[in-house]
């Protein structure tokens, strides 16, 4: 247990960025290069670009027709047609053809009657300069076409070329070394040994650098050997404009990065008051910025966005060095109502990933998993809710700023589902946009009761639920009626699901039913989950005390997470649905069937995207997929039951 | 005058797209290909992607520290420290290390006191599963990571790899032939002959195709020879997924495209009720979509966006075939107040380019040049205001939809200037974002009086103006006081400018002053332009009747446009400023000096971006640039004069 970096600093985000920039500013310089306009898409102009020629180049015809001398057409009219001779009187022109003296006007082809012998007849006079585009009408020589620091779009390519410009001075694209470290790192596709980790962060960083206009070079993973790590960092800081080094930034035993950076250059910051992302390192080696990126994927993403992206954008020339304080650099911000209370530490600024939905006229933001390792929360996220360092949290129902990481174009047509998870939600989310173009299903998984509460608070359109009423043995109807007293509600009927006990293949402990659970190490679902309600109901029925079951307090959030715990051997048994057991190749001891339905306020039933959702439940492709998955019955699937 | 396509159809945009899609739908098919995840950025998934492994792969340490057996730590406390031995009692772990039975909890490094001989002391007990990340917490094997039709982002690359996926099925990128036609087409950089046109549209289209996920192949320009054009089209429709053929779509004499397409396949539409963009051709050859793109740059852009982009997006798999009716496909829409009346024909849907500004709390949309050839209007545009086919126009002050073609992030910090043009506005627009980070100058040129009216209507922050009061001979102050009676106004003093007559190098007509203008072909400025006011004032002073000046009615919109007309020989003389004459290498006969200032309501003076604008006027770099341009005096530049 040596060389642990136990005592990271806890510097506020803005101050950290400022320290980094101060350490860098004597060294940072922008370089430019001369490039061809035809290859300039997405490049950034190094200086203002001025037109070299006029566009159009000369007075020219704005229409197809005949060029005429306007003064000679005076008097032409319906009653007094005028005949003009080719050459002296008129010249046939197409759009864009030059109009030269004596000609000073164009008559449209549609207004011309052609005669033999190169003659035409016109029936109205031409005003001077009619249908003539004057020289330089669009671009005048010497006029600024683009300012400096402008990212070139397709239309700019066209106008630059029209303006006589074939080469421009652009910012050189910064070259960025991406160095993964850690002896446990295993290249994707290679066999994973116990303790091994798939090296994926460097590939995400490569893509982020590319998106930012940089040119990434990814190194092979460097094992935890001090000399090797130091050598690679030294080499990279010599050859590249910037270095991103992943993992090895925390307090682990093999974390050599910061020591190596201290010997090679200056460590401006090690430890920032942000969460996730705290153990970031900001250093300068050989005058080059080096960012030590923490190993957890969400930490890695946020460390990149907050500290690497601003420096890269500076190199790329999109803008000057950012002013500190942007929540997550460059993301557009919307206001949305927070659906759940967020408690946060005064020690950190926290970046909570949220899904954003539109319920009625309100934008709502639902927090996703908050762990630094929850990479899927980034995949699912629509944006970030940033909780300031000096805040202890935000109450539910508060309007908050959400920094968006994806466009919200489709929001009007997105079904917001909050509640119990089932694989059929994944299937619908995948199929629905193709079957009902433009619609989307956004699904958050908080268990049945959590979903109904979200629905009640106006945070969802539908709540997938499978809640058994212990008194009547009836599913869903009693729970919804009780919670939504006085409100007009319906159930969109979903599927019947086989619930049971999942055990390792071959059922090594010989578990036959819930009576045997006390012989196992169990993994349970969270409070309010329908599966847990069912277990409690059955345990009570047979008179078993849950406290006697080892692992009853161990909670997993979804059927699949329970199945994974059993598969991995950390638990012997867990309750869940057949499709989860099948997906994970586990044995399944059926306990009973349950009804998995969707609670919905009746006012939402007429929304086009809710109708699309109901349509999906009845769709033959969806039914076919259910058969593949197994364990589902679909007698009433897609029917709407209005609750009295 | 043969083979003219005089009679284009006038089919509404939606119907045209529908006809095109109907003609295509028997043929269109999406192809997929297997690609590496590490090269999948911006590619589109062909099907849903499910995790192959759990992440984390096993129960693992969530913190650096010691793995312990929770049951064995019971009773540890501040008063009753517990000593644990390496091996049996605890195991040192770093974040991510596997936690295997009997260990079921982790104690953080910070809460551990190390002793000699591989012993540690703890002072609180560990709850079961504390600081342990359960297997599959982030991604569970079999769980959907991404739906089909999803464009891959950097974070997706990371999560796919973590989920054990190294290759995915993605949409094949469509290959698109871009064929410029026209004997007048001259490659950029080659010498332009009289009647030649720089071929730039195909390069814009290449870039647009690339942005849309396609792979463009640009052909060399094809001269106007029927056989050649037909041969190239046939070849392209065999080898590519889609063909874009530019120009040759209108009623010109050399317009063979549509004839060739009719012989090769089916022309679904020739002529759409849109402006610009009417002469678009939508055809199917060899089962492949062929879009005939009109030659004017704005027409080309709109034809692409409305008809080519949707088909390309279909191939790329970002979404299904679009529903007809999106104003310009895929652009986000905002509401803004129109600053000028727009009259439009009932025959067409018109796409008017607008600049968008934020004045107080209002978004305002100012129309730019409307011609199909006005490519700079696309460069300058923030978006499109779409006037429906069944509308005769929109009154000023109406709130309209604006389809945005650029992000509006910086809008809060953008100075909206509407009024008279001077090159110094270009200079400031270029310099200001670098000197005052985040600020921007958005400038529209409508002449002095037009600018003051815009300012009065709340459509601008500042109005650059140089209006001479004929009675007093005083610049700007009388005009602003008269127009803004009762409102607190100020002038930000700008520059003194030398006004004069611009003539060809060597002054071939020997023009000495305005008395000689009647011997020239003159080019004038538009009504309300300060330069025209000055001319009229001087003509009146010397008793010359303007109607005696040939070309007095011929109007150009800016100093530079006047200079271009003189340079090109279409006119002999025009009034303008010295910097314009210099930029175009013309001779200049001084007429007098004038004051070019910026009218501003005093309430805007405290806005940070207006203060930045004033700062720019005083900036040494700006002053240096003025000296280079020549013809300016700067005694009061940047001073604020409050009008009583």
């Amino acid at each position: 247990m040596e060389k642990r970096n136990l005592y990271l600093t806890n510097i506020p985000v803005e101050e950290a960025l400022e320290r980094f920039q101060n350490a860098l500013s004597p060294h940072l310089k922008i370089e430019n290069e001369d490039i061809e306009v035809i290859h300039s898409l997405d490049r950034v102009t190094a200086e203002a670009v001025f037109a070299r020629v006029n566009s159009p180049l000369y007075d020219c015809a704005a229409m197809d027709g005949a060029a005429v001398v306007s003064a000679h057409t005076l008097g032409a009219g319906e009653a007094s047609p005028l005949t003009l001779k080719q050459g002296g009187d008129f010249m046939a022109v197409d759009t864009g053809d030059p109009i030269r003296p004596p000609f000073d006007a164009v008559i449209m082809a549609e207004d011309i009657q052609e005669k033999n012998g190169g003659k035409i007849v016109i029936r109205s006079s031409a005003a001077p300069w009619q249908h003539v585009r004057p020289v330089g009408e669009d671009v005048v020589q010497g006029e600024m076409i683009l300012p400096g620091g402008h990212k070139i779009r397709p239309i700019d390519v066209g106008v630059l070329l029209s303006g006589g410009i074939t080469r421009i001075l652009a910012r050189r694209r910064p070259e960025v070394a991406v160095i993964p470290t850690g002896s446990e790192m295993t290249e994707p596709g290679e066999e994973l040994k116990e303790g091994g980790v798939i090296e994926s962060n460097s590939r995400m960083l490569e893509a982020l650098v590319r998106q930012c206009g940089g040119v990434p070079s990814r190194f092979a993973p460097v094992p935890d050997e001090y000399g090797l790590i130091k050598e690679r960092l030294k080499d990279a800081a010599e050859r590249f404009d910037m270095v991103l080094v992943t993992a090895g930034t925390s307090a682990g035993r093999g974390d050599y990065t910061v020591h190596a950076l201290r010997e090679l250059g200056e460590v401006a910051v090690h430890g920032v008051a942000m969460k996730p992302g705290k153990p970031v390192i900001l250093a300068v080696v050989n005058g080059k910025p080096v960012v030590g990126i923490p190993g957890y994927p969400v930490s890695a993403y946020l460390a990149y966005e907050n500290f690497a992206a601003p420096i890269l954008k500076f190199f790329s020339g999109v803008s000057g060095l950012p002013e500190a304080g942007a929540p997550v650099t460059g993301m557009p911000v919307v206001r949305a109502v927070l659906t759940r209370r967020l408690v946060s530490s005064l020690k950190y600024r926290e970046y909570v990933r949220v899904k954003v939905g539109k319920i009625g006229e309100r934008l709502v933001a639902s927090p996703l998993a908050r762990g630094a390792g929850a990479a899927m929360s980034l995949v699912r996220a629509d944006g970030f809710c940033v909780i300031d360092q000096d805040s202890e949290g935000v109450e539910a129902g508060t309007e908050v700023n959400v920094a968006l990481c994806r466009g919200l174009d489709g929001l009007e047509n997105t079904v917001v589902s909050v509640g119990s998870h089932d694989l059929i939600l994944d299937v619908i989310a995948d199929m629905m946009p193709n079957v009902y173009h433009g619609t989307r299903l956004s699904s958050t998984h908080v268990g049945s009761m959590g979903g109904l509460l979200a629905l009640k608070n106006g945070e969802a359109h539908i709540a997938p639920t499978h809640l058994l009423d212990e008194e009547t043995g009836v599913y869903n109807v009693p729970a919804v009626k009780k919670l939504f007293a006085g409100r007009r509600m319906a159930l969109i009927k979903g599927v019947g699901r086989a619930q049971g006990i999942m055990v390792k293949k071959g059922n090594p402990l010989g578990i036959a039913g819930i009576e045997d659970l006390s012989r196992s190490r169990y993994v349970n679902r969270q409070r309010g989950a329908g599966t847990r309600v069912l277990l409690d109901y059955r345990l009570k029925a047979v008179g078993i005390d849950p406290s006697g079951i080892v692992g009853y307090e161990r909670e997993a959030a979804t059927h699949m997470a329970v199945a994974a715990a059993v598969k991995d051997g950390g638990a012997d048994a867990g309750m869940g649905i057949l499709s989860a057991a099948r997906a994970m190749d586990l044995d399944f001891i059926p306990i009973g069937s349950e009804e998995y339905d969707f609670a919905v306020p009746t006012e939402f039933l007429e929304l086009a995207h809710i109708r699309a959702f109901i349509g999906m439940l009845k769709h033959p492709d969806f039914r076919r997929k259910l058969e593949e998955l197994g364990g589902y019955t679909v007698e009433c699937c897609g029917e709407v039951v209005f609750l009295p």
Side-chain angles (χ1 to χ4, degrees), chain A:
Chain A
M1 282 203 164
E2 46 184 351
K3 280 214 173 178
R4 280 201 191 264
N5 304 308
L6 277 185
Y7 302 105
L8 270 55
T9 54
N10 196 51
I11 298 172
V13 177
E14 283 75 21
E15 194 188 324
L17 188 58
E18 204 181 317
R19 283 198 198 185
F20 193 29
Q21 290 178 359
N22 288 344
L24 278 171
S25 57
H27 310 287
L28 277 188
K29 65 171 190 290
I30 288 182
E31 288 175 31
N32 303 321
E33 62 184 352
D34 187 60
I35 62 168
E36 282 193 275
V37 169
I38 60 171
H39 297 134
S40 66
L41 180 66
D42 289 337
R43 297 296 296 269
V44 176
T45 55
E47 57 187 15
V49 185
F50 298 88
R52 292 219 185 100
V53 299
N54 297 311
S55 174
L57 276 160
Y58 30 71
D59 294 334
C60 65
M63 309 288 274
D64 300 324
V68 297
V69 181
S70 59
H72 299 174
T73 66
L74 292 176
E78 275 304 325
S80 51
L82 190 66
T83 301
L84 303 177
K85 266 186 230 150
Q86 179 123 28
D89 290 342
F90 83 93
M91 191 177 67
V93 288
D94 285 342
T95 302
D97 284 349
I99 303 298
R100 291 298 183 192
F103 301 117
D104 67 350
V106 170
I107 296 179
M108 289 163 64
E110 289 88 328
D111 296 338
I112 289 170
Q113 188 188 347
E114 297 186 35
K115 294 277 181 187
N116 291 335
K119 289 179 184 169
I120 60 172
V121 175
I122 60 171
R123 287 190 154 74
S124 66
S125 65
W129 306 106
Q130 92 176 14
H131 303 317
V132 175
R133 290 185 69 204
V135 54
E137 182 190 57
D138 188 23
V139 185
V140 185
Q141 178 194 331
E143 181 185 13
M144 184 174 76
I145 298 181
L146 299 176
H150 175 87
K151 191 170 173 185
I152 292 177
R153 303 162 299 169
I155 179 65
D156 302 324
V157 172
V159 173
L160 286 169
L161 294 172
S162 305
I165 293 155
T166 55
R167 303 188 71 88
I168 55 165
L169 200 63
R171 301 279 188 234
R172 187 169 64 73
R173 299 175 65 194
E175 305 202 8
V176 181
V178 181
I179 311 179
T181 71
S183 299
E184 75 279 22
M185 290 302 158
T186 310
E187 290 281 21
E190 285 181 10
E191 195 201 344
L192 265 175
K193 305 213 176 72
E194 172 86 6
V197 168
I198 299 174
E199 203 295 295
S200 61
N201 277 347
S202 72
R203 300 303 187 172
M204 173 182 77
L205 290 168
E206 262 191 319
L208 284 165
V209 167
R210 202 164 277 133
Q211 246 184 6
C212 218
V215 183
S217 285
R218 187 242 186 196
F219 286 40
V222 185
D224 288 322
E225 289 173 33
Y226 185 71
L228 261 183
I229 289 177
K230 187 172 164 187
E231 183 197 304
R232 290 296 145 80
L233 285 170
K234 182 164 183 288
D235 168 55
E238 274 161 16
R239 294 195 291 129
F240 293 86
D241 298 308
M242 183 169 184
V243 180
L244 306 179
V245 52
T246 79
T249 64
S250 186
R253 287 158 302 150
D255 296 343
Y256 301 121
T257 313
V258 76
H259 300 289
L261 290 172
R262 285 219 173 88
E263 287 188 33
L264 290 168
E266 178 194 353
V267 171
V269 174
H270 184 203
V272 178
M274 63 188 271
K275 201 177 160 184
K278 177 170 169 59
V280 70
I281 304 171
L282 307 175
V284 182
V285 175
N286 190 33
K288 313 289 181 61
V290 180
V291 181
I293 305 264
Y296 275 132
V298 185
S299 304
Y301 178 82
L302 286 168
Y304 173 87
E305 284 291 342
N306 275 296
F307 301 107
I311 307 295
L312 258 180
K313 282 182 184 151
F314 171 77
F315 278 126
S316 312
V318 175
S319 59
L321 281 175
E323 283 167 88
V328 180
T329 316
M331 294 178 180
V333 171
V334 294
R335 301 283 290 170
V337 175
L338 194 67
T339 63
R340 266 205 302 289
R341 186 179 183 213
L342 285 177
V343 178
S344 180
S345 161
L346 284 172
K347 278 171 73 182
Y348 308 107
R349 168 183 294 175
E350 192 172 349
Y351 295 83
V352 180
R353 283 78 73 200
V354 296
K355 283 202 87 72
V356 178
K358 190 165 186 185
I359 311 296
E361 289 307 304
R362 261 195 347 167
L363 282 189
V364 294
S366 307
L368 291 162
R370 288 166 75 176
M376 273 304 287
S377 71
L378 271 184
V379 171
R380 294 197 185 106
D382 297 314
F384 293 89
C385 172
V386 182
I387 304 179
D388 281 335
Q389 193 178 339
D390 56 9
S391 161
E392 291 190 278
V394 186
E395 293 300 322
T398 310
E399 208 179 53
V400 293
N401 282 336
V402 174
L404 294 177
C405 56
R406 88 159 87 201
L408 292 183
D409 318 353
L411 217 59
E412 302 279 342
N413 298 316
T414 298
V415 176
V416 179
S417 165
V418 180
S420 170
H421 179 254
D422 188 281
L423 291 174
I424 71 168
L425 292 173
D426 290 354
V427 173
I428 294 174
D430 180 38
M431 285 185 173
M432 199 164 84
N434 293 318
V435 177
Y436 297 93
H437 175 67
T439 65
R440 208 162 65 100
L441 172 64
S442 156
S443 172
T444 313
H445 310 131
V446 298
S448 294
M449 188 49 77
L452 291 177
L453 289 171
L455 194 64
K456 191 173 178 183
N457 290 336
E459 297 156 8
H461 294 116
I462 58 172
T465 179
H466 57 120
L467 281 175
L468 178 65
D469 181 53
E470 297 204 14
E471 282 177 35
T472 59
V474 170
Y475 267 95
N476 301 327
V477 176
V480 173
K481 282 174 75 170
K482 191 171 158 196
L483 203 61
F484 291 84
R487 189 135 171 233
R488 295 182 57 215
M489 297 293 294
L491 281 180
I492 302 167
K493 293 299 289 176
V495 291
R497 303 195 298 192
Q499 276 273 14
I501 301 168
M502 301 186 281
V503 295
K504 264 236 158 81
K505 199 84 189 167
N507 193 359
L509 295 186
I511 290 179
I514 55 166
E515 301 80 357
D516 299 326
L517 290 183
S518 42
R519 291 197 285 113
S520 77
R521 290 169 306 140
Y522 188 71
V523 53
N524 206 352
R525 290 291 306 283
Q526 81 278 21
R527 253 169 259 269
T531 302
R532 181 161 171 159
V533 171
L534 176 62
L535 173 73
D536 292 346
Y537 178 70
R538 292 299 180 97
L539 287 175
K540 198 172 167 188
V542 293
I544 295 177
D545 178 3
S547 70
I549 298 174
V550 175
Y552 182 85
E553 298 302 333
R554 184 179 177 191
E555 298 181 354
T558 63
H559 300 284
M560 292 294 275
V562 169
V566 173
K567 175 81 174 180
D568 183 53
D572 301 316
M575 282 257 294
I577 56 177
L578 178 60
S579 58
R582 282 208 186 163
M584 209 66 85
D585 198 25
L586 298 174
D587 274 3
F588 183 81
I589 300 112
I591 294 296
S593 177
E594 62 172 7
E595 295 166 46
Y596 179 84
D597 303 323
F598 305 93
V600 60
T602 55
E603 77 236 40
F604 292 152
L605 284 169
E606 285 313 301
L607 294 174
H609 45 294
I610 299 294
R611 292 219 306 272
F613 179 80
I614 294 171
M616 279 314 305
L617 291 173
K618 299 176 178 167
H619 199 277
D621 289 353
F622 173 67
R623 298 295 174 94
R624 212 168 296 129
K625 188 73 192 170
L626 287 193
E627 274 171 43
E628 275 176 40
L629 289 169
Y632 294 105
T633 54
V634 294
E635 289 76 25
C636 311
C637 189
E639 286 178 17
V640 176
V641 177
F642 291 87
L643 303 188

